[in-house]
Amino acid sequence: MKDLIRFLAAWALVHESADEAWRAAVARGERLAPVSLDQGPEAIADGLAALVAEEKERLKRRLLEGDAGATGATDLGPALEALRFEVAELRGRIETLQASLDAVAARLEG
Amino acid sequence: MSGRGRTIAAVALRRAAAVAWRSGLGLRRGRARREIVARQLRLACEDLGPAFIKLGQLASVRPDVFPPETVFELERLQDRVPAVPGDEVRAIVAAELGAAPERVFATFDAEPVATASIAQVHGATLAADYRPVMGETLAAGTRLAVKVIRPGVEDAIAADLAAARRLAAWLERLPPAARWRPTALLAEFEATLASELDLRNEGRAADRFASDFADDPLVVVPRVVWRHTTRRVLTTAFIEGWRLSDLGEVERAGIDARGLAAHGAEVFMRQVLVLGRFHADLHPANLFVTPDGRICYLDFGITGRTTPAQRSAIAQVLVATAYADADRALRHSRALGLEVPDERVSAVRAAVDALMRRHLVGHGPADVRGFALGFLSTLADHRIAIPEGYGLLVKALVTVEGVARAIYPDIDIVEVARPFATRLVADQLTDPVRLQARVPAALTAALEALLD
């Protein structure tokens, strides 16, 4: 059960911009007393949502305490590679253009 | 009618007469007749030369338009042409690069290493260091492959296409041929051909492919030397190796052929299903195996794309096919535009199920080509239109199998595809966006079921 809660917490963290229904469910769940089965499935889902939200906050605190710098560097890698490729491709386009211009110049001189 | 127009009309008439004769003046119907038509169509393309061979090759990747027998027959098109003399090639290189090949390169071979209907390839040596778009700097003295468009080929193709346009306009008026939309199809093929005749497009596709697989040590893509590349000349690093079509037992003995075949299949699936851009002219003559056991991809003249929605649906269909689940395969095929009329669903499902049992889960390695041919024929028999993306998927699977078998003849491609496609579908199912949309509702539904 703990693993399931953690998994859902991770999911909720990734989607910090959870929809209004989710937020409302969390709010309702936080107001509820310990969940009892006779309150029906909606109440159980609300209670579970509140549990997940609580775990999400804990997860967020743990991540904030970690090394934020390392995370930033990892995210930059693929973007930098993509940029390097785009620039190199642009250089290739200029070089082929230059080759064609050289050919035109040679024809004019010849 | 021009002389060339008369030649085209004569070939068309001769091959049409052969179809009529061999099909017992129309007495043979269905698949037998389609096979006869397909063979005569291939021979007509070979009779008519480069432009028609190219059109035939483009048609061979369109099972959405042509009957399966035609698609698979046109794959066999051969474009054997004599080499262009060295002097003519030197003149083209000089006109394109502004100096004689001997001044541009340290050395330039007069004899070609490969010839085809549109271009031929000459060996050369790099005169000065060059930094390509991807990978390490190529040192002076690096062996190069210089691909040169054959002289006069653009004019010949333009003349043939003009004649083909008139033929297409005439076919458009015949009801049986009109459903192929010959004029629109020809315009589509013309655009592809025009792109292929500009070698810079091929160079860009090669660079993109090299970037996509930069993290894969088993994939080699020749680096483009843009300094010596123009519309009609493409210069790349020369890769030593064996074409898959020439791979024999001796060559296979020195490499992990099975591992490489499986990896080659995964590389293709990654292109189609993950990256969404792929080498669309893949066949054993366009691939090399290097002596150190890597796969080298060549000829990026034709490339294709898949949208995220297509990729998701293709993955689902692939998993269903790999596990021989006809019902699931047809259900997910709807997302790719395959519409089976309600009254035919059970008949088609039964036929597909039988094909899967015969070709995919029987004894011995799976036979994807046999399955694909049977499947497309079933759709043709039921007069079910094949959407373009769907035809692409079926053809891609056959291609993957053909390439993998050229490396390791006993490979079971379904066995390779199963874990790859399953992983992919699992990734899609656990996609956070999808989970966000579905988990709350699923959870509520599950609890409702539990409490009821």
Side-chain angles (χ1 to χ4, degrees), chain B residues 212-259:
Chain B
D212 287 342
F213 288 91
D215 61 344
D216 190 330
L218 290 179
V219 171
V220 185
V221 182
R223 303 302 191 231
V224 180
V225 182
W226 285 105
R227 200 162 64 194
H228 304 324
T229 294
T230 64
R231 172 186 279 273
R232 295 185 185 84
V233 175
L234 172 66
T235 304
T236 65
F238 190 95
I239 307 290
E240 296 284 353
W242 309 286
R243 279 190 191 264
L244 291 201
S245 43
D246 302 333
L247 206 60
E249 287 307 315
V250 178
E251 290 81 14
R252 282 193 194 100
I255 57 171
D256 172 16
R258 198 201 171 282

Side-chain angles (χ1 to χ4, degrees), chain B residues 351-377:
Chain B
V352 173
D353 187 56
L355 283 166
M356 283 176 163
R357 288 182 195 293
R358 190 183 320 144
H359 295 289
L360 303 182
V361 291
H363 298 293
D367 172 18
V368 173
R369 190 185 175 85
F371 169 72
L373 188 57
F375 178 55
L376 294 172
S377 295

Side-chain angles (χ1 to χ4, degrees), chain B residues 5-25:
Chain B
R6 278 195 293 277
T7 306
I8 293 169
V11 169
L13 277 175
R14 193 169 73 241
R15 293 297 168 190
V19 168
W21 175 255
R22 288 172 196 275
S23 62
L25 298 174

Side-chain angles (χ1 to χ4, degrees), chain A:
Chain A
M1 186 62 180
K2 187 73 178 166
D3 283 347
L4 175 68
I5 299 292
R6 277 196 180 141
F7 165 72
L8 291 172
W11 163 71
L13 178 60
V14 171
H15 296 275
E16 183 65 11
S17 58
D19 62 30
E20 288 307 315
W22 170 258
R23 285 181 193 165
V26 172
R28 284 196 303 273
E30 282 170 344
R31 285 198 300 273
L32 278 175
V35 177
S36 59
L37 287 177
D38 56 4
Q39 285 177 284
E42 292 297 338
I44 293 177
D46 291 345
L48 193 61
L51 273 175
V52 171
E54 208 178 308
E55 183 67 25
K56 183 195 77 176
E57 290 307 322
R58 263 199 295 275
L59 186 59
K60 196 194 281 182
R61 279 198 298 277
R62 267 211 312 278
L63 287 174
L64 285 174
E65 282 161 15
D67 185 1
T71 311
T74 313
D75 289 343
L76 197 60
L80 191 62
E81 271 311 306
L83 187 63
R84 279 179 66 182
F85 176 77
E86 297 299 333
V87 171
E89 205 190 27
L90 196 61
R91 175 170 53 81
R93 282 175 190 255
I94 292 169
E95 283 176 355
T96 180
L97 201 59
Q98 197 168 17
S100 295
L101 282 174
D102 288 348
V104 171
R107 234 173 284 168
L108 289 174
E109 284 163 14

Side-chain angles (χ1 to χ4, degrees), chain B residues 67 190 249 274 336 347 355:
Chain B
E190 278 185 59
E249 287 307 315
V274 181
L336 288 167
L355 283 166

Side-chain angles (χ1 to χ4, degrees), chain B residues 42-366:
Chain B
R42 172 175 67 81
L43 294 173
C45 289
E46 287 180 354
D47 291 345
L48 290 170
F52 284 87
I53 287 173
K54 220 56 224 179
L55 291 178
Q57 285 169 346
L58 292 174
S60 77
V61 290
R62 296 298 300 272
D64 53 308
V65 179
F66 299 100
E69 293 78 9
T70 301
V71 166
F72 287 96
E73 181 70 28
L74 291 177
E75 265 184 356
R76 300 171 57 210
L77 275 168
Q78 306 279 335
D79 58 351
R80 285 193 211 93
V81 287
V84 172
D87 284 352
E88 290 183 38
V89 172
R90 288 181 70 257
I92 293 177
V93 173
E96 286 294 307
L97 301 179
E102 290 75 13
R103 283 182 55 204
V104 175
F105 304 104
T107 66
F108 185 81
D109 302 346
E111 290 300 314
V113 288
T115 61
S117 52
I118 287 187
Q120 65 185 43
V121 180
H122 289 254
T125 313
L126 189 64
D129 290 0
Y130 178 76
R131 185 185 171 194
V133 169
M134 291 296 300
E136 302 290 311
T137 295
L138 300 171
T142 299
R143 185 95 177 116
L144 301 173
V146 184
K147 185 172 182 177
V148 183
I149 297 279
R150 293 165 70 92
V153 80
E154 288 146 312
D155 291 343
I157 286 177
D160 278 1
L161 286 176
R165 271 195 293 274
R166 285 194 294 276
L167 188 64
W170 180 72
L171 286 173
E172 200 85 48
R173 293 198 291 270
L174 300 178
R179 65 190 170 91
W180 290 355
R181 302 175 299 113
T183 308
L185 195 65
L186 186 64
E188 205 180 301
F189 285 178
E190 278 185 59
T192 309
L193 207 49
S195 164
E196 211 182 335
L197 283 168
D198 184 344
L199 296 178
R200 291 170 298 187
N201 292 326
E202 181 177 342
R204 282 179 207 125
D207 277 342
R208 176 58 70 179
F209 190 92
S211 164
D212 287 342
F213 288 91
D215 61 344
D216 190 330
L218 290 179
V219 171
V220 185
V221 182
R223 303 302 191 231
V224 180
V225 182
W226 285 105
R227 200 162 64 194
H228 304 324
T229 294
T230 64
R231 172 186 279 273
R232 295 185 185 84
V233 175
L234 172 66
T235 304
T236 65
F238 190 95
I239 307 290
E240 296 284 353
W242 309 286
R243 279 190 191 264
L244 291 201
S245 43
D246 302 333
L247 206 60
E249 287 307 315
V250 178
E251 290 81 14
R252 282 193 194 100
I255 57 171
D256 172 16
R258 198 201 171 282
L260 202 58
H263 192 72
E266 286 203 4
V267 165
F268 192 75
M269 287 188 281
R270 193 175 152 197
Q271 290 173 63
V272 174
L273 299 170
V274 181
L275 298 167
R277 47 180 172 261
F278 58 95
H279 190 306
D281 190 20
L282 207 60
H283 53 78
N286 280 349
L287 284 161
F288 267 30
V289 171
T290 62
D292 59 352
R294 297 187 293 159
I295 311 178
C296 173
Y297 290 78
L298 301 171
D299 292 349
F300 293 84
I302 309 174
T303 54
R305 285 184 173 272
T306 46
T307 63
Q310 279 178 325
R311 293 202 286 277
S312 170
I314 290 172
Q316 292 282 1
V317 175
L318 192 63
V319 167
T321 308
Y323 287 97
D325 184 340
D327 188 48
R328 189 184 167 93
L330 287 175
R331 202 156 17 96
H332 285 287
S333 294
R334 274 183 180 270
L336 288 167
L338 188 81
E339 291 294 340
V340 181
D342 288 344
E343 68 276 14
R344 292 188 192 162
V345 166
S346 68
V348 171
R349 189 170 46 217
V352 173
D353 187 56
L355 283 166
M356 283 176 163
R357 288 182 195 293
R358 190 183 320 144
H359 295 289
L360 303 182
V361 291
H363 298 293

